[in-house]
Amino acid sequence: MKILVINCGSSSFKYQLLNMDDRSVLCSGLVERIGADMGSLTYKKAPGSDVERKFTEQRPFADHASGMSRVMEMLCAPETGVIGSLSEIAACGHRVVQGGEEFTSSVRIDAHVLDVIRKLSPLAPLHNPPSVQGIEVSMNLLPNCPSVAVFDTEFHASMPPSAFMYPIPYAMYEEHRVRRYGFHGTSHGYVARKAAKVMSRQETGFNVITCHLGNGSSISAVRDGKCVDTSMGLTPLAGVMMGTRSGDVDPAILPYLAGQTGMGMAELDSMLNRQSGFLGVCGMNDMRDIHAAREKGDAKAELAFAMFCHSIRKYIGAYYAVLGRVDALVFTAGIGENDDLARAGICEGLEGLGITIDPARNAIRSGEARKISQQGSRVRVLVIPTNEEIAIAESTMKVLGL
Ligand code: ADP
């Protein structure tokens, strides 16, 4: 059973064709700078295997349709091909960022669903419009292939109102849908389920805090396999400090800065989303560069790292209180999976909560799910590589009953 997973951005899209019989990746890649004078296409055949082959093309892609039709060609072409014909693709799974309150689980896409996703665009202006475009293009190219939307927000739909409501006038929720939605849900759900499996536990009765730490980062509290709170909010700007996003700040900073500097709302929004976080504090936003700078004694890089660890540690403490008892703490995504210094920094001083990392285990680099807590640590600390594509493909099959 072959499932094509598509993740569309405004000027790019990522794709992966999975063979769900053995969960292997037949090919994966990325088309970037769509609409620019020069675009680029990356296509990896059998990625991650001994026989991986990488193909790249530098040429303009006028729109998503031209990029996607080129990928479809390559799927079946003599040298790059991994399938005999497009009819082998059983279904298409699309990542959609915002499902609002309308979609609390993945759904088969039809004209009505597409319309609702489009109508949710004000809540995700950068994300939902390109998803709609990607869905339309792929449905045109694969007219006989069923498509499923898998929402970043759906895992968080189980949050109780006490966690998702903001203490502002209730009418803002009723009239403008202002509430916490949460993001990275596919990843949080995947690693929470995997953590239960790794520990041979049922999801019922299993409490876990999941830390998805990448360019964008978020933390979730999960009880009985259901999200009960998460750090991102109405938008992915909220929560912990990130690569270029501030995370939580005093909202009164905005009117204060507007008054002091004359900056408008759009400028302030851009400052918090694109010029803040690590980048804002120390001028760099890749954790590897930040560690290199720290080693050279860069005080701002040191400060930024300490702020990052502090902000995540606070959320772990908060979610410990929300859950009451914690069985596992999970790290995932670019930083969570690869950065032992960040994991150690975050967990420093949490021994009183029963969270004790084993330095030797933490230092091991591996692509496998692994335990990094000390023997006897009351909370099991795990590193679990996330796999949003597999999770999207699994949801797609489930929705379609495949
Ligand atoms: P995205 O949110 O874009 O999906 P990723 O989950 O891929 O991000 O995470 C990207 C971030 O992971 C990079 O910016 C980098 O800071 C961090 N990262 C990746 N590899 C390493 C590594 N070996 N050590 C430390 N940090 C890493």
Side-chain angles (χ1 to χ4, degrees):
M1 168 94 42
K2 282 145 198 155
I3 307 284
L4 181 63
V5 174
I6 295 176
N7 181 354
C8 241
S10 56
S11 64
S12 67
F13 68 87
K14 290 186 211 160
Y15 61 91
Q16 206 169 94
L17 184 64
L18 294 144
N19 181 353
M20 293 303 282
D21 298 337
D22 59 4
R23 299 173 141 248
S24 61
V25 184
L26 298 170
C27 73
S28 68
L30 170 71
V31 177
E32 290 176 286
R33 295 189 296 279
I34 294 168
D37 291 345
M38 187 50 74
S40 84
L41 178 150
T42 309
Y43 181 103
K44 280 187 193 165
K45 191 172 173 178
S49 76
D50 298 341
V51 293
E52 174 179 311
R53 286 187 68 191
K54 185 174 171 180
F55 303 87
T56 56
E57 287 181 3
Q58 306 296 321
R59 65 180 181 90
F61 292 100
D63 47 27
H64 285 70
S66 68
M68 239 177 246
S69 57
R70 178 64 193 133
V71 171
M72 303 282 178
E73 260 170 39
M74 293 176 87
L75 292 178
C76 310
E79 207 188 349
T80 52
V82 289
I83 47 177
S85 94
L86 293 178
S87 61
E88 283 180 47
I89 301 173
C92 221
H94 290 269
R95 177 194 180 215
V96 180
V97 165
Q98 179 57 271
E101 290 188 330
E102 284 82 346
F103 299 115
T104 56
S105 58
S106 307
V107 62
R108 183 171 181 160
I109 302 170
D110 57 19
H112 171 70
V113 166
L114 202 54
D115 198 41
V116 178
I117 296 173
R118 195 181 287 116
K119 287 199 173 117
L120 287 165
S121 292
L123 287 172
L126 299 178
H127 295 102
N128 275 29
S131 293
V132 169
Q133 203 177 352
I135 291 166
E136 285 176 332
V137 166
S138 75
M139 286 174 101
N140 275 337
L141 291 168
L142 302 169
N144 300 316
C145 178
S147 289
V148 169
V150 179
F151 300 94
D152 248 35
T153 46
E154 64 184 58
F155 181 63
H156 305 301
S158 48
M159 281 188 290
S162 53
F164 74 66
M165 288 298 293
Y166 289 118
I168 60 174
Y170 200 84
M172 299 299 146
Y173 169 61
E174 291 177 312
E175 291 166 25
H176 301 290
R177 314 158 66 97
V178 175
R179 53 159 286 178
R180 181 186 305 281
Y181 291 99
F183 299 91
H184 293 141
T186 310
S187 175
H188 286 290
Y190 177 83
V191 298
R193 286 190 295 277
K194 189 93 183 213
K197 215 174 269 170
V198 165
M199 290 174 64
S200 304
R201 293 276 304 265
Q202 299 291 322
E203 284 183 62
T204 308
F206 183 65
N207 290 354
V208 53
I209 297 172
T210 50
C211 304
H212 177 108
L213 310 178
N215 274 321
S217 298
S218 64
I219 321 292
S220 290
V222 183
R223 173 187 291 137
D224 299 332
K226 293 190 171 64
C227 177
V228 293
D229 205 352
T230 192
S231 61
M232 284 180 167
L234 173 77
T235 75
L237 178 58
V240 300
M241 174 175 161
M242 305 176 222
T244 65
R245 286 175 243 164
S246 62
D248 298 337
V249 292
D250 180 347
I253 290 173
L254 300 181
Y256 174 76
L257 279 182
Q260 293 289 313
T261 66
M263 286 165 90
M265 262 305 156
E267 237 179 314
L268 288 164
D269 183 61
S270 167
M271 180 190 87
L272 293 179
N273 271 297
R274 299 196 182 88
Q275 294 136 34
S276 295
F278 275 106
L279 186 68
V281 177
C282 71
M284 291 163 262
N285 66 331
D286 191 299
M287 206 56 151
R288 290 158 287 200
D289 298 336
I290 286 151
H291 288 314
R294 290 174 64 219
E295 264 178 36
K296 290 189 196 129
D298 184 323
K300 282 187 179 157
E302 196 59 50
L303 170 65
F305 181 70
M307 288 167 68
F308 177 71
C309 295
H310 181 77
S311 78
I312 294 165
R313 207 182 295 127
K314 277 207 297 199
Y315 265 99
I316 292 171
Y319 288 169
Y320 209 113
V322 166
L323 293 169
R325 188 200 79 247
V326 176
D327 299 301
L329 172 67
V330 176
F331 288 101
T332 193
I335 297 171
E337 290 169 29
N338 298 304
D339 192 341
D340 53 318
L341 297 174
R343 293 191 300 255
I346 291 163
C347 292
E348 206 176 288
L350 296 183
E351 296 78 10
L353 297 181
I355 297 171
T356 313
I357 278 194
D358 179 319
R361 284 182 183 155
N362 186 36
I364 295 169
R365 298 191 63 93
S366 145
E368 299 296 312
R370 57 202 184 273
K371 175 170 100 170
I372 59 164
S373 45
Q374 260 178 24
Q375 215 57 41
S377 172
R378 207 161 65 239
V379 175
R380 189 87 59 99
V381 185
L382 302 168
V383 176
I384 300 183
T386 193
N387 195 330
E388 289 166 274
E389 287 78 14
I390 283 274
I392 290 171
E394 280 172 349
S395 283
T396 300
M397 289 173 67
K398 199 168 153 199
V399 167
L400 297 171
L402 297 173

